[in-house]
Amino acid sequence: MIKKWPNSFDFQGFNEPIGVEWCDYNLDVEGNIPDEIQGAFFRAVPDPGFPPFIDKDTYISGDGMIGRFLIHGNRVDFAIRYIETDRYLAEKKENKALFGAYRNPYTDDPSVRGVERTVANTTPIWHGGRLFLTKEDGPAYEVDPITLDTIGKWDYHGALKSQTMTAHVRIDPDSGEMFFFGYEAGGLATRDVAYCIADKDGKLISEQWFQAPYCAMLHDFVVTENYVLFPIFPTIADLDRIKAGGAHWVHHPDEPTWVGIMPRYGKVEEMKWVKGPNGLSAYHMMNGFDEKASGSSLVHMDLNVMETNIFPFIREASGVDASPAELRASLCRWTFDMDDLDKGWTETIIGPPGDMSRTAATDQCRPYEIGYYACYDPQIGPPVIHSVVGAGFNTLLRIHVGKGKHEALPLGPDRSINEPIHIPSRQEGHEGWLAAVVDTHSTMSSELWFLEAGNIGKGAIARVKLPFRLRPQIHGWWVPQEELDRAAVLGG
Ligand code: V55
Ligand code: FE
């Protein structure tokens, strides 16, 4: 069949679907990848198998593919496969799209009523020796990290009751515990949130449900050494609207932002709700940590915050117009005084606008100095179609969060960078490495770049050439070789 994709940025330019499963070995490397870099860089990539039958569709509804760079110094292999979700297999069988609008089962072909709709396209997560592909609207899928075969839906051997699992988890680097949640845990448009902990071996040790103030698009959260914070922004679901075939999400500029805080090992009954300004939105938190300052007890959460929702399809459904200025998500530090939560939080701007923030895995949940993220700098050039919002990131940033200072690597008007991952170094006092796929628009080609995390201004120390363009990813994950080996010994 000749596939006709909709005429929107979600399907044009670098976002044009590819849908090819392939692998290639020993790719050409320009420069030198340090020998100590040994492991796998996994990437989640939305790529629709079939053109939608609905009027409009969004990039983030694309079927999940798992990409993997296997890196042993200068030897790099690449492979990419579809996640064989129930949805992907159902459509493959009929050779056409059967699922309708983003997160609206009432727009589906009646033949797939009750079939799990998630496309598992958002984050590859490694925990307890297993690889999961996640999307916030459904269960995770387990994938074999070696063959990239889909093993199946993951529910902690039947223990997890939540119908959904977030794509953003927090792993405590000391305990190895994974903190996560599921929203709409009890079903479509419910206010149920399940707050969960899995121990370092991947056993579910806690699942507690609570009610959010409204059914919000709860994409990410923060865990500190003592607390857990759930940021609730007013992009809200409504069951009647969904049943009528309307949008799952509408942004409400006049509804307050809330942050729920409780002790991380506490009971959900201890949750305190802190009210903030109306109409804010943020998808990603960089990190959070506790501070004992002269007699008071502070909790900090660092996040890229905007005045409205970043997704054009959500703003359209909300009747919200946004100026370019309102679409700039500065890196903010929200500080909570645990002895006086009634006064709300204070906000300090600590970095330029951007998104897709990362830290070293060992810096999570505790005081830290350095973070990395991507930004679109309008001074470099006009927006170029790339990824979920239709304007690629043209700059990589490294930020000293304490000092509010940053360094930038501008990539020029012809390049877009995907989310970087951090790779730790074995060398004492070394900040480690960053790896990211960098896409060039004029040649429609993709490369994997390696950088020194502590010196991004130097540019790439190695560039891996890909024989074909890659579709822009959502999130990635680094798995050191010794963890892959251990998982293989344990039988995955
Ligand atoms: C996001 C991405 C999603 C999604 C919801 O980046 C939010 C935010 C790739 O899918 O379903
Ligand atoms: Fe995300």
Side-chain angles (χ1 to χ4, degrees):
M1 102 170 113
I2 292 175
K3 293 180 185 151
K4 286 226 165 53
W5 302 105
N7 184 25
S8 76
F9 76 81
D10 307 83
F11 301 92
Q12 306 294 323
F14 239 94
N15 284 353
E16 188 177 338
I18 299 172
V20 180
E21 302 182 289
W22 58 280
C23 63
D24 195 7
Y25 303 99
N26 213 357
L27 302 171
D28 288 342
V29 181
E30 197 182 289
N32 196 32
I33 303 172
D35 268 347
E36 68 165 350
I37 301 184
Q38 304 270 332
F41 172 13
F42 291 102
R43 309 169 79 225
V45 181
D47 204 335
F50 299 95
F53 59 83
I54 53 166
D55 238 18
K56 284 180 180 154
D57 198 12
T58 162
Y59 193 82
I60 63 175
S61 267
D63 292 301
M65 295 189 85
I66 173 75
R68 182 195 58 207
F69 291 98
L70 207 52
I71 302 154
H72 294 275
N74 261 2
R75 158 92 194 215
V76 181
D77 302 335
F78 181 75
I80 184 162
R81 299 261 318 261
Y82 274 108
I83 313 304
E84 295 189 337
T85 59
D86 294 355
R87 169 174 173 150
Y88 174 73
L89 292 176
E91 293 192 339
K92 195 175 167 190
K93 187 151 165 272
E94 297 301 321
N95 206 35
K96 63 177 187 190
L98 298 169
F99 294 81
Y102 182 68
R103 299 186 64 171
N104 192 330
Y106 297 92
T107 61
D108 294 347
D109 186 288
S111 67
V112 292
R113 190 166 298 140
V115 177
E116 173 53 53
R117 300 182 94 249
T118 195
V119 286
N121 69 0
T122 310
T123 311
I125 292 170
W126 181 267
H127 189 245
R130 293 173 196 267
L131 176 65
F132 307 114
L133 267 289
T134 55
K135 185 178 184 74
E136 62 196 49
D137 65 348
Y141 274 82
E142 187 184 2
V143 169
D144 185 309
I146 310 301
T147 62
L148 304 185
D149 286 339
T150 301
I151 296 167
K153 294 197 277 280
W154 175 253
D155 62 2
Y156 289 88
H157 309 290
L160 185 70
K161 298 303 170 223
S162 175
Q163 294 180 24
T164 62
M165 177 175 159
T166 175
H168 288 282
V169 303
R170 299 283 163 180
I171 296 178
D172 186 294
D174 287 342
S175 71
E177 290 163 316
M178 182 167 93
F179 299 82
F180 64 101
F181 62 91
Y183 74 89
E184 301 191 25
L188 204 59
T190 58
R191 287 161 53 208
D192 303 317
V193 180
Y195 167 47
C196 309
I197 309 173
D199 71 11
K200 66 175 187 352
D201 301 317
K203 183 168 177 278
L204 188 69
I205 54 172
S206 169
E207 176 176 5
Q208 301 183 70
W209 287 36
F210 65 89
Q211 297 271 300
Y214 42 71
C215 176
M217 195 173 189
L218 177 45
H219 187 68
D220 192 0
F221 77 146
V222 151
V223 175
T224 71
E225 285 166 286
N226 293 299
Y227 296 99
V228 50
L229 291 83
F230 294 93
I232 308 284
F233 301 101
T235 297
I236 302 177
D238 176 78
L239 189 57
D240 291 334
R241 183 176 65 233
I242 296 169
K243 283 186 171 166
H248 191 111
W249 299 117
V250 163
H251 190 70
H252 292 253
D254 300 327
E255 285 283 339
T257 299
W258 293 92
V259 176
I261 305 186
M262 59 172 270
R264 78 179 199 180
Y265 297 117
K267 296 258 169 276
V268 288
E269 290 73 26
E270 299 172 70
M271 186 87 73
K272 298 211 171 89
W273 288 102
V274 187
K275 195 175 181 174
N278 290 348
L280 301 182
S281 178
Y283 279 88
H284 300 119
M285 286 83 234
M286 182 141 81
N287 202 0
F289 63 96
D290 303 326
E291 181 191 344
K292 287 262 176 264
S294 52
S296 63
S297 159
L298 306 177
V299 175
H300 304 282
M301 168 165 77
D302 297 344
L303 70 174
N304 290 95
V305 192
M306 275 183 16
E307 303 280 318
T308 184
N309 193 286
I310 194 163
F311 287 103
F313 79 95
I314 293 180
R315 291 200 304 277
E316 194 183 320
S318 315
V320 171
D321 278 328
S323 65
E326 287 171 308
L327 295 176
R328 315 271 295 147
S330 295
L331 183 67
C332 297
R333 173 161 292 176
W334 286 3
T335 300
F336 300 81
D337 180 346
M338 295 309 295
D339 300 321
D340 189 6
L341 287 174
D342 289 341
K343 71 172 184 235
W345 60 84
T346 57
E347 177 176 287
T348 317
I349 294 183
I350 58 173
D355 201 4
M356 312 308 258
S357 54
R358 305 294 298 225
T359 71
T362 47
D363 280 346
Q364 281 289 299
C365 314
R366 51 212 5 81
Y368 73 114
E369 289 294 321
I370 305 291
Y372 317 92
Y373 59 102
C375 113
Y376 166 65
D377 178 352
Q379 312 246 284
I380 290 176
V384 223
I385 291 179
H386 193 270
S387 195
V388 296
V389 297
F393 296 113
N394 55 21
T395 304
L396 177 66
L397 297 172
R398 169 183 182 266
I399 173 140
H400 302 248
V401 286
K403 300 181 190 149
K405 266 181 29 190
H406 69 270
E407 290 112 47
L409 174 66
L411 297 161
D414 190 31
R415 286 205 169 109
S416 298
I417 186 164
N418 294 260
E419 180 195 67
I421 49 157
H422 178 265
I423 302 171
S425 171
R426 287 164 225 269
Q427 302 162 53
E428 201 44 45
H430 192 294
E431 199 178 306
W433 316 95
L434 300 180
V437 171
V438 174
D439 295 321
T440 303
H441 294 267
S442 56
T443 53
M444 289 292 269
S445 61
S446 302
E447 294 177 341
L448 173 63
W449 286 21
F450 289 86
L451 303 110
E452 282 179 22
N455 189 2
I456 62 167
K458 189 169 154 185
I461 55 167
R463 289 157 61 159
V464 183
K465 313 277 173 186
L466 284 146
F468 309 107
R469 171 176 74 90
L470 301 179
R471 204 165 187 248
Q473 84 187 55
I474 308 295
H475 298 290
W477 197 281
W478 172 250
V479 183
Q481 185 61 42
E482 61 267 23
E483 292 199 32
L484 288 175
D485 291 344
R486 203 177 311 132
V489 168
L490 294 171

